[in-house]
Amino acid sequence: MTDRRNGDPIDILLVEDNPGDVRLTQEAFRQASLANDLDVVRDGEAALDYLYQRGEYEDAPVPSLILLDLNLPKVGGMDVLETIKAEPELRRIPVVVLTGSDAEEDVVESYENYVNAYLTKPIEPDEFVDLVRSFENFWFQLVELPPTAGQ
């Protein structure tokens, strides 16, 4: 994925604890021929460290987009979302919930916490690739993303 305004790769943060879902997401991005910088963290605590550039993530880029699972160890995805949207330095980063839950209460709570989109992961790998292609077309061809810090 590249920024259509200047051709630069898009920095995407994937917050996902399931190794199979991480591999599937990476493969879907590869199959969809998306050129991007996809960083992965495995729990909510690491996501917050990444976003605040703490510890091992002190040189992490500010992501242009966050893909967030809700079911995470240490700090839950909803808590991560609430923190992002409460922080003036972080709230303009679009957050897309990409989760296995289609529970109405999760959808409602996510939007109440200002998520930009809520996507339920398909079970079938081919459907997942199709979802990523649709996602790529919308978020990186049609939507104007805000500049990240330092741009």
PDB file of all heavy atoms in Angstrom, residues 8-32:
ATOM      1  N   ASP A   8       4.617   7.227  -1.023  1.00  0.00           N
ATOM      2  CA  ASP A   8       5.330   6.633   0.110  1.00  0.00           C
ATOM      3  C   ASP A   8       4.552   5.436   0.654  1.00  0.00           C
ATOM      4  O   ASP A   8       3.320   5.418   0.614  1.00  0.00           O
ATOM      5  CB  ASP A   8       5.505   7.657   1.238  1.00  0.00           C
ATOM      6  CG  ASP A   8       6.465   8.763   0.870  1.00  0.00           C
ATOM      7  OD1 ASP A   8       7.290   8.555  -0.042  1.00  0.00           O
ATOM      8  OD2 ASP A   8       6.392   9.839   1.498  1.00  0.00           O
ATOM      9  N   PRO A   9       5.268   4.413   1.183  1.00  0.00           N
ATOM     10  CA  PRO A   9       4.558   3.289   1.792  1.00  0.00           C
ATOM     11  C   PRO A   9       3.741   3.773   2.992  1.00  0.00           C
ATOM     12  O   PRO A   9       4.113   4.732   3.665  1.00  0.00           O
ATOM     13  CB  PRO A   9       5.675   2.360   2.260  1.00  0.00           C
ATOM     14  CG  PRO A   9       6.889   2.785   1.531  1.00  0.00           C
ATOM     15  CD  PRO A   9       6.708   4.240   1.207  1.00  0.00           C
ATOM     16  N   ILE A  10       2.653   3.094   3.231  1.00  0.00           N
ATOM     17  CA  ILE A  10       1.797   3.375   4.372  1.00  0.00           C
ATOM     18  C   ILE A  10       2.287   2.514   5.534  1.00  0.00           C
ATOM     19  O   ILE A  10       2.491   1.317   5.381  1.00  0.00           O
ATOM     20  CB  ILE A  10       0.334   3.017   4.046  1.00  0.00           C
ATOM     21  CG1 ILE A  10      -0.178   3.849   2.884  1.00  0.00           C
ATOM     22  CG2 ILE A  10      -0.553   3.166   5.263  1.00  0.00           C
ATOM     23  CD1 ILE A  10      -0.347   5.304   3.155  1.00  0.00           C
ATOM     24  N   ASP A  11       2.477   3.141   6.697  1.00  0.00           N
ATOM     25  CA  ASP A  11       2.835   2.404   7.911  1.00  0.00           C
ATOM     26  C   ASP A  11       1.558   1.926   8.570  1.00  0.00           C
ATOM     27  O   ASP A  11       0.705   2.736   8.950  1.00  0.00           O
ATOM     28  CB  ASP A  11       3.619   3.290   8.882  1.00  0.00           C
ATOM     29  CG  ASP A  11       5.012   3.601   8.385  1.00  0.00           C
ATOM     30  OD1 ASP A  11       5.718   2.657   7.998  1.00  0.00           O
ATOM     31  OD2 ASP A  11       5.388   4.785   8.383  1.00  0.00           O
ATOM     32  N   ILE A  12       1.427   0.612   8.683  1.00  0.00           N
ATOM     33  CA  ILE A  12       0.249   0.004   9.290  1.00  0.00           C
ATOM     34  C   ILE A  12       0.687  -0.755  10.531  1.00  0.00           C
ATOM     35  O   ILE A  12       1.657  -1.508  10.495  1.00  0.00           O
ATOM     36  CB  ILE A  12      -0.442  -0.964   8.313  1.00  0.00           C
ATOM     37  CG1 ILE A  12      -0.829  -0.233   7.036  1.00  0.00           C
ATOM     38  CG2 ILE A  12      -1.651  -1.620   8.970  1.00  0.00           C
ATOM     39  CD1 ILE A  12      -1.270  -1.165   5.928  1.00  0.00           C
ATOM     40  N   LEU A  13      -0.042  -0.559  11.626  1.00  0.00           N
ATOM     41  CA  LEU A  13       0.193  -1.323  12.839  1.00  0.00           C
ATOM     42  C   LEU A  13      -0.917  -2.355  12.973  1.00  0.00           C
ATOM     43  O   LEU A  13      -2.098  -2.001  13.047  1.00  0.00           O
ATOM     44  CB  LEU A  13       0.209  -0.407  14.071  1.00  0.00           C
ATOM     45  CG  LEU A  13       0.371  -1.131  15.414  1.00  0.00           C
ATOM     46  CD1 LEU A  13       1.698  -1.892  15.479  1.00  0.00           C
ATOM     47  CD2 LEU A  13       0.237  -0.145  16.568  1.00  0.00           C
ATOM     48  N   LEU A  14      -0.543  -3.628  12.982  1.00  0.00           N
ATOM     49  CA  LEU A  14      -1.474  -4.727  13.210  1.00  0.00           C
ATOM     50  C   LEU A  14      -1.326  -5.171  14.662  1.00  0.00           C
ATOM     51  O   LEU A  14      -0.233  -5.554  15.083  1.00  0.00           O
ATOM     52  CB  LEU A  14      -1.171  -5.895  12.259  1.00  0.00           C
ATOM     53  CG  LEU A  14      -1.960  -7.184  12.487  1.00  0.00           C
ATOM     54  CD1 LEU A  14      -3.467  -6.966  12.302  1.00  0.00           C
ATOM     55  CD2 LEU A  14      -1.451  -8.286  11.565  1.00  0.00           C
ATOM     56  N   VAL A  15      -2.410  -5.098  15.407  1.00  0.00           N
ATOM     57  CA  VAL A  15      -2.417  -5.525  16.806  1.00  0.00           C
ATOM     58  C   VAL A  15      -3.230  -6.817  16.861  1.00  0.00           C
ATOM     59  O   VAL A  15      -4.459  -6.795  16.820  1.00  0.00           O
ATOM     60  CB  VAL A  15      -3.023  -4.440  17.719  1.00  0.00           C
ATOM     61  CG1 VAL A  15      -2.890  -4.856  19.180  1.00  0.00           C
ATOM     62  CG2 VAL A  15      -2.378  -3.083  17.475  1.00  0.00           C
ATOM     63  N   GLU A  16      -2.516  -7.929  16.908  1.00  0.00           N
ATOM     64  CA  GLU A  16      -3.145  -9.254  16.788  1.00  0.00           C
ATOM     65  C   GLU A  16      -2.326 -10.281  17.557  1.00  0.00           C
ATOM     66  O   GLU A  16      -1.120 -10.393  17.342  1.00  0.00           O
ATOM     67  CB  GLU A  16      -3.228  -9.647  15.311  1.00  0.00           C
ATOM     68  CG  GLU A  16      -3.713 -11.037  15.028  1.00  0.00           C
ATOM     69  CD  GLU A  16      -5.117 -11.298  15.541  1.00  0.00           C
ATOM     70  OE1 GLU A  16      -6.052 -10.667  15.020  1.00  0.00           O
ATOM     71  OE2 GLU A  16      -5.263 -12.131  16.464  1.00  0.00           O
ATOM     72  N   ASP A  17      -2.970 -11.048  18.436  1.00  0.00           N
ATOM     73  CA  ASP A  17      -2.245 -12.032  19.241  1.00  0.00           C
ATOM     74  C   ASP A  17      -2.239 -13.431  18.629  1.00  0.00           C
ATOM     75  O   ASP A  17      -1.419 -14.252  18.989  1.00  0.00           O
ATOM     76  CB  ASP A  17      -2.828 -12.098  20.652  1.00  0.00           C
ATOM     77  CG  ASP A  17      -4.263 -12.597  20.679  1.00  0.00           C
ATOM     78  OD1 ASP A  17      -5.063 -12.145  19.828  1.00  0.00           O
ATOM     79  OD2 ASP A  17      -4.600 -13.423  21.540  1.00  0.00           O
ATOM     80  N   ASN A  18      -3.123 -13.700  17.694  1.00  0.00           N
ATOM     81  CA  ASN A  18      -3.221 -15.036  17.119  1.00  0.00           C
ATOM     82  C   ASN A  18      -2.221 -15.169  15.963  1.00  0.00           C
ATOM     83  O   ASN A  18      -2.377 -14.501  14.939  1.00  0.00           O
ATOM     84  CB  ASN A  18      -4.648 -15.279  16.614  1.00  0.00           C
ATOM     85  CG  ASN A  18      -4.843 -16.652  16.047  1.00  0.00           C
ATOM     86  OD1 ASN A  18      -4.042 -17.137  15.252  1.00  0.00           O
ATOM     87  ND2 ASN A  18      -5.941 -17.281  16.433  1.00  0.00           N
ATOM     88  N   PRO A  19      -1.192 -16.038  16.113  1.00  0.00           N
ATOM     89  CA  PRO A  19      -0.183 -16.172  15.055  1.00  0.00           C
ATOM     90  C   PRO A  19      -0.779 -16.569  13.700  1.00  0.00           C
ATOM     91  O   PRO A  19      -0.317 -16.113  12.662  1.00  0.00           O
ATOM     92  CB  PRO A  19       0.760 -17.268  15.568  1.00  0.00           C
ATOM     93  CG  PRO A  19       0.520 -17.353  17.028  1.00  0.00           C
ATOM     94  CD  PRO A  19      -0.894 -16.907  17.258  1.00  0.00           C
ATOM     95  N   GLY A  20      -1.822 -17.397  13.711  1.00  0.00           N
ATOM     96  CA  GLY A  20      -2.465 -17.789  12.461  1.00  0.00           C
ATOM     97  C   GLY A  20      -3.110 -16.596  11.768  1.00  0.00           C
ATOM     98  O   GLY A  20      -3.011 -16.447  10.544  1.00  0.00           O
ATOM     99  N   ASP A  21      -3.757 -15.737  12.547  1.00  0.00           N
ATOM    100  CA  ASP A  21      -4.385 -14.545  11.966  1.00  0.00           C
ATOM    101  C   ASP A  21      -3.334 -13.556  11.479  1.00  0.00           C
ATOM    102  O   ASP A  21      -3.538 -12.874  10.470  1.00  0.00           O
ATOM    103  CB  ASP A  21      -5.322 -13.879  12.968  1.00  0.00           C
ATOM    104  CG  ASP A  21      -6.610 -14.661  13.170  1.00  0.00           C
ATOM    105  OD1 ASP A  21      -6.890 -15.589  12.377  1.00  0.00           O
ATOM    106  OD2 ASP A  21      -7.351 -14.340  14.115  1.00  0.00           O
ATOM    107  N   VAL A  22      -2.200 -13.481  12.179  1.00  0.00           N
ATOM    108  CA  VAL A  22      -1.103 -12.612  11.718  1.00  0.00           C
ATOM    109  C   VAL A  22      -0.604 -13.105  10.366  1.00  0.00           C
ATOM    110  O   VAL A  22      -0.472 -12.319   9.409  1.00  0.00           O
ATOM    111  CB  VAL A  22       0.057 -12.556  12.743  1.00  0.00           C
ATOM    112  CG1 VAL A  22       1.286 -11.880  12.147  1.00  0.00           C
ATOM    113  CG2 VAL A  22      -0.388 -11.847  14.013  1.00  0.00           C
ATOM    114  N   ARG A  23      -0.332 -14.413  10.265  1.00  0.00           N
ATOM    115  CA  ARG A  23       0.137 -14.985   8.995  1.00  0.00           C
ATOM    116  C   ARG A  23      -0.883 -14.780   7.881  1.00  0.00           C
ATOM    117  O   ARG A  23      -0.535 -14.413   6.762  1.00  0.00           O
ATOM    118  CB  ARG A  23       0.446 -16.479   9.146  1.00  0.00           C
ATOM    119  CG  ARG A  23       1.801 -16.772   9.729  1.00  0.00           C
ATOM    120  CD  ARG A  23       2.174 -18.253   9.599  1.00  0.00           C
ATOM    121  NE  ARG A  23       1.128 -19.168  10.013  1.00  0.00           N
ATOM    122  CZ  ARG A  23       0.898 -19.539  11.270  1.00  0.00           C
ATOM    123  NH1 ARG A  23       1.654 -19.066  12.229  1.00  0.00           N
ATOM    124  NH2 ARG A  23      -0.061 -20.391  11.544  1.00  0.00           N
ATOM    125  N   LEU A  24      -2.151 -15.001   8.190  1.00  0.00           N
ATOM    126  CA  LEU A  24      -3.199 -14.837   7.199  1.00  0.00           C
ATOM    127  C   LEU A  24      -3.285 -13.375   6.740  1.00  0.00           C
ATOM    128  O   LEU A  24      -3.418 -13.105   5.546  1.00  0.00           O
ATOM    129  CB  LEU A  24      -4.544 -15.293   7.767  1.00  0.00           C
ATOM    130  CG  LEU A  24      -5.717 -15.341   6.801  1.00  0.00           C
ATOM    131  CD1 LEU A  24      -5.428 -16.244   5.609  1.00  0.00           C
ATOM    132  CD2 LEU A  24      -6.968 -15.811   7.534  1.00  0.00           C
ATOM    133  N   THR A  25      -3.174 -12.446   7.655  1.00  0.00           N
ATOM    134  CA  THR A  25      -3.200 -11.021   7.299  1.00  0.00           C
ATOM    135  C   THR A  25      -2.009 -10.671   6.425  1.00  0.00           C
ATOM    136  O   THR A  25      -2.159 -10.013   5.388  1.00  0.00           O
ATOM    137  CB  THR A  25      -3.213 -10.145   8.566  1.00  0.00           C
ATOM    138  OG1 THR A  25      -4.346 -10.492   9.370  1.00  0.00           O
ATOM    139  CG2 THR A  25      -3.279  -8.668   8.211  1.00  0.00           C
ATOM    140  N   GLN A  26      -0.820 -11.116   6.821  1.00  0.00           N
ATOM    141  CA  GLN A  26       0.380 -10.837   6.020  1.00  0.00           C
ATOM    142  C   GLN A  26       0.252 -11.443   4.629  1.00  0.00           C
ATOM    143  O   GLN A  26       0.581 -10.800   3.633  1.00  0.00           O
ATOM    144  CB  GLN A  26       1.629 -11.374   6.732  1.00  0.00           C
ATOM    145  CG  GLN A  26       1.973 -10.610   7.986  1.00  0.00           C
ATOM    146  CD  GLN A  26       3.014 -11.304   8.845  1.00  0.00           C
ATOM    147  OE1 GLN A  26       3.104 -12.529   8.895  1.00  0.00           O
ATOM    148  NE2 GLN A  26       3.825 -10.507   9.536  1.00  0.00           N
ATOM    149  N   GLU A  27      -0.247 -12.669   4.554  1.00  0.00           N
ATOM    150  CA  GLU A  27      -0.408 -13.339   3.263  1.00  0.00           C
ATOM    151  C   GLU A  27      -1.458 -12.625   2.416  1.00  0.00           C
ATOM    152  O   GLU A  27      -1.284 -12.464   1.208  1.00  0.00           O
ATOM    153  CB  GLU A  27      -0.781 -14.808   3.461  1.00  0.00           C
ATOM    154  CG  GLU A  27      -0.902 -15.592   2.180  1.00  0.00           C
ATOM    155  CD  GLU A  27       0.359 -15.616   1.337  1.00  0.00           C
ATOM    156  OE1 GLU A  27       1.470 -15.534   1.895  1.00  0.00           O
ATOM    157  OE2 GLU A  27       0.233 -15.715   0.101  1.00  0.00           O
ATOM    158  N   ALA A  28      -2.539 -12.203   3.044  1.00  0.00           N
ATOM    159  CA  ALA A  28      -3.576 -11.487   2.302  1.00  0.00           C
ATOM    160  C   ALA A  28      -3.033 -10.185   1.733  1.00  0.00           C
ATOM    161  O   ALA A  28      -3.310  -9.839   0.584  1.00  0.00           O
ATOM    162  CB  ALA A  28      -4.774 -11.216   3.207  1.00  0.00           C
ATOM    163  N   PHE A  29      -2.229  -9.489   2.494  1.00  0.00           N
ATOM    164  CA  PHE A  29      -1.619  -8.264   1.980  1.00  0.00           C
ATOM    165  C   PHE A  29      -0.677  -8.586   0.824  1.00  0.00           C
ATOM    166  O   PHE A  29      -0.653  -7.873  -0.177  1.00  0.00           O
ATOM    167  CB  PHE A  29      -0.872  -7.512   3.088  1.00  0.00           C
ATOM    168  CG  PHE A  29      -1.753  -6.601   3.883  1.00  0.00           C
ATOM    169  CD1 PHE A  29      -2.542  -7.089   4.912  1.00  0.00           C
ATOM    170  CD2 PHE A  29      -1.787  -5.246   3.621  1.00  0.00           C
ATOM    171  CE1 PHE A  29      -3.353  -6.252   5.656  1.00  0.00           C
ATOM    172  CE2 PHE A  29      -2.599  -4.399   4.360  1.00  0.00           C
ATOM    173  CZ  PHE A  29      -3.389  -4.913   5.380  1.00  0.00           C
ATOM    174  N   ARG A  30       0.093  -9.677   0.947  1.00  0.00           N
ATOM    175  CA  ARG A  30       0.993 -10.081  -0.147  1.00  0.00           C
ATOM    176  C   ARG A  30       0.200 -10.458  -1.396  1.00  0.00           C
ATOM    177  O   ARG A  30       0.524 -10.024  -2.494  1.00  0.00           O
ATOM    178  CB  ARG A  30       1.880 -11.248   0.276  1.00  0.00           C
ATOM    179  CG  ARG A  30       3.192 -10.830   0.905  1.00  0.00           C
ATOM    180  CD  ARG A  30       4.151 -12.009   1.013  1.00  0.00           C
ATOM    181  NE  ARG A  30       3.692 -13.042   1.938  1.00  0.00           N
ATOM    182  CZ  ARG A  30       3.818 -12.997   3.257  1.00  0.00           C
ATOM    183  NH1 ARG A  30       4.390 -11.962   3.821  1.00  0.00           N
ATOM    184  NH2 ARG A  30       3.392 -13.973   4.008  1.00  0.00           N
ATOM    185  N   GLN A  31      -0.818 -11.288  -1.236  1.00  0.00           N
ATOM    186  CA  GLN A  31      -1.624 -11.726  -2.382  1.00  0.00           C
ATOM    187  C   GLN A  31      -2.345 -10.566  -3.050  1.00  0.00           C
ATOM    188  O   GLN A  31      -2.586 -10.592  -4.248  1.00  0.00           O
ATOM    189  CB  GLN A  31      -2.636 -12.784  -1.948  1.00  0.00           C
ATOM    190  CG  GLN A  31      -2.022 -14.121  -1.678  1.00  0.00           C
ATOM    191  CD  GLN A  31      -3.081 -15.159  -1.358  1.00  0.00           C
ATOM    192  OE1 GLN A  31      -4.257 -14.998  -1.649  1.00  0.00           O
ATOM    193  NE2 GLN A  31      -2.647 -16.252  -0.721  1.00  0.00           N
ATOM    194  N   ALA A  32      -2.692  -9.569  -2.265  1.00  0.00           N
ATOM    195  CA  ALA A  32      -3.376  -8.404  -2.826  1.00  0.00           C
ATOM    196  C   ALA A  32      -2.369  -7.413  -3.398  1.00  0.00           C
ATOM    197  O   ALA A  32      -2.742  -6.349  -3.858  1.00  0.00           O
ATOM    198  CB  ALA A  32      -4.242  -7.745  -1.751  1.00  0.00           C
TER     199      ALA A  32
END
